[in-house]
Amino acid sequence: PTFSRTMRAGDEMNDLRRSITLGTTGDRRLEALARLPDLINARGETVATSGAFRDSFRRRRCLVPAEAFYEWRKEAGGKKAPVRFGLREGGLFTFAGLHDAWLAPSGERVESFAIITCEPNELVAEVHNRMPVILPEAARAAWLNPAAELPALQALLRPLA
């Protein structure tokens, strides 16, 4: 697959953020999440040894489907503009992810996931210093294999060429 990027209007991103916020308002799990560190991304270079992700990397890997991801380009005057990255031919792809379930301080069970990131490829490097690990279709079964060896899994944590 080949990647492309497109600029998106800031208003569209604000609408997206607002719809996500409105769609989750009133969920008690958000109260628990708001008090915890922001762990939506896991660095591929340290995921096998990081206390926050080590166990999930060994036992709870998942695929996170997406049709695009956004990074923020710094503009003149300190403003930031969203840049959309997706497959040139369109369609879905999958991020390498980790999932877990844990008890919040309130005692409520929270299910969460994180996307693994890596150094960027040439295209994303023009905008940001990290990117999500995108698993090609041929690597998905290996990523989900519960018997996979750690070195084989770590070899998958690289930028999409």
Side-chain angles (χ1 to χ4, degrees):
T2 55
F3 247 53
S4 65
R5 69 169 184 248
T6 56
M7 298 298 286
R8 290 290 182 135
D11 288 343
E12 183 176 331
M13 284 303 294
N14 288 332
D15 288 345
L16 175 64
R17 269 191 242 107
R18 187 168 37 255
S19 68
I20 290 170
T21 302
L22 291 174
T24 57
T25 299
D27 189 334
R28 292 185 319 214
R29 290 178 291 179
L30 291 179
E31 296 171 16
L33 292 173
R35 293 188 295 271
L36 296 171
D38 187 7
L39 297 176
I40 60 170
N41 291 328
R43 292 180 69 89
E45 299 86 349
T46 59
V47 71
T49 57
S50 166
F53 299 111
R54 180 178 50 238
D55 193 49
S56 290
F57 182 65
R58 291 186 175 114
R59 295 181 181 87
R60 290 181 295 280
R61 295 177 302 280
C62 64
L63 300 173
V64 180
E67 61 182 23
F69 67 94
Y70 289 85
E71 294 297 351
W72 296 87
R73 179 190 303 270
K74 292 180 183 175
E75 302 285 319
K79 291 186 176 184
K80 293 184 178 181
V83 179
R84 181 181 190 269
F85 293 89
L87 296 177
R88 183 167 293 149
E89 58 274 12
L92 292 176
F93 53 87
T94 54
F95 298 134
L98 306 172
H99 67 94
D100 201 357
W102 42 275
L103 291 179
S106 67
E108 183 154 0
R109 179 181 164 92
V110 177
E111 295 183 18
S112 62
F113 72 95
I115 295 170
I116 300 178
T117 64
C118 61
E119 295 293 320
N121 60 21
E122 279 186 37
L123 185 67
V124 178
E126 295 176 15
V127 177
H128 200 270
N129 65 348
R130 306 287 300 168
M131 71 177 284
V133 172
I134 298 169
L135 294 172
E137 190 172 347
R140 294 174 189 164
W143 179 250
L144 296 175
N145 180 356
E149 298 289 329
L150 292 182
L153 293 170
Q154 289 174 309
L156 299 173
L157 305 180
R158 60 181 186 268
L160 184 67

